[in-house]
Amino acid sequence: DGGITQSPKYLFRKEGQNVTLSCEQNLNHDAMYWYRQDPGQGLRLIYYSQIVNDFQKGDIAEGYSVSREKKESFPLTVTSAQKNPTAFYLCASLDLLAPQSTEAFFGQGTRLTVV
Amino acid sequence: DQQVKQNSPSLSVQEGRISILNCDYTNSMFDYFLWYKKYPAEGPTFLISISSIKDKNEDGRFTVFLNKSAKHLSLHIVPSQPGDSAVYFCAASRVGSNTGKLIFGQGTTLQVKP
């Protein structure tokens, strides 16, 4: 079964700590994305990657970092510099080579809470 | 600068009636539009999409209408069912940018009452 797996589903972090959210896909998609969902604000783009070893900042990249060492994996690190990290984080992937390739597939999300 | 807006945070309809969810956008470069459905604590799932070369796309109970001159699209669900109760997100994209980036609206929470 192809899909996107995010782990963990729930994550608690102490203030001042970095934490890494995992995202793995077996859809053979080149492009991967991280979005953040806050109440009343929809989904906002944090980072995206169109190819291995390359990634670009989205609209709210400050306080986050990513890596793309493998096609299947796109982990997101929430650093201590992120002022308000408590949110629901969603990873997505997309086949850029497919016709009308804009149907992104999403993982189940990670709920991060700073305690 | 909110490029995609869903001005109604919530909508309540009776089972069997029509649900109409609205979405407005400001960027005329957007050429592909999607609707996603999301349950709490889950990822969004793709529902239906429409290219800017069309003004209507239908899939079963779901129809999306696009009015390019008004920069407005709407999702019609007929008939509405209790299982349709969820948050619906409108999203827009520029296919030509080849980045696959989606710009989302704030979402509309639909409640379908039995």
Side-chain angles (χ1 to χ4, degrees), chain A residues 9-10 33 35 37 40-43 45 48 50 88 90 94 96 100 102-104 106-108, chain B residues 32 34 36 38 41-44 46 51 89 93 95 98-107:
Chain A
K9 191 167 178 66
Y10 299 96
Y33 309 82
Y35 289 88
Q37 184 191 6
Q41 295 196 52
L43 280 66
L45 183 64
Y48 65 102
Q50 294 170 261
F88 190 55
L90 288 157
L94 183 147
L96 286 174
Q100 292 296 331
T102 51
E103 180 191 328
F106 283 84
Q108 291 298 294
Chain B
Y32 202 71
L34 307 89
Y36 280 83
K38 185 182 179 303
E42 292 186 10
F46 171 75
S51 165
F89 289 99
S93 177
V95 175
N98 205 35
T99 63
K101 291 195 298 182
L102 294 175
I103 309 300
F104 285 86
Q106 307 96 309

Side-chain angles (χ1 to χ4, degrees), chain A residues 66-91:
Chain A
V66 293
S67 63
R68 187 84 187 278
E69 297 176 2
K70 299 186 301 181
K71 188 176 185 177
E72 302 79 16
S73 179
F74 191 40
L76 173 74
T77 297
V78 184
T79 75
S80 57
Q82 168 51 233
K83 296 285 187 272
N84 186 20
T86 295
F88 190 55
Y89 290 88
L90 288 157
C91 179

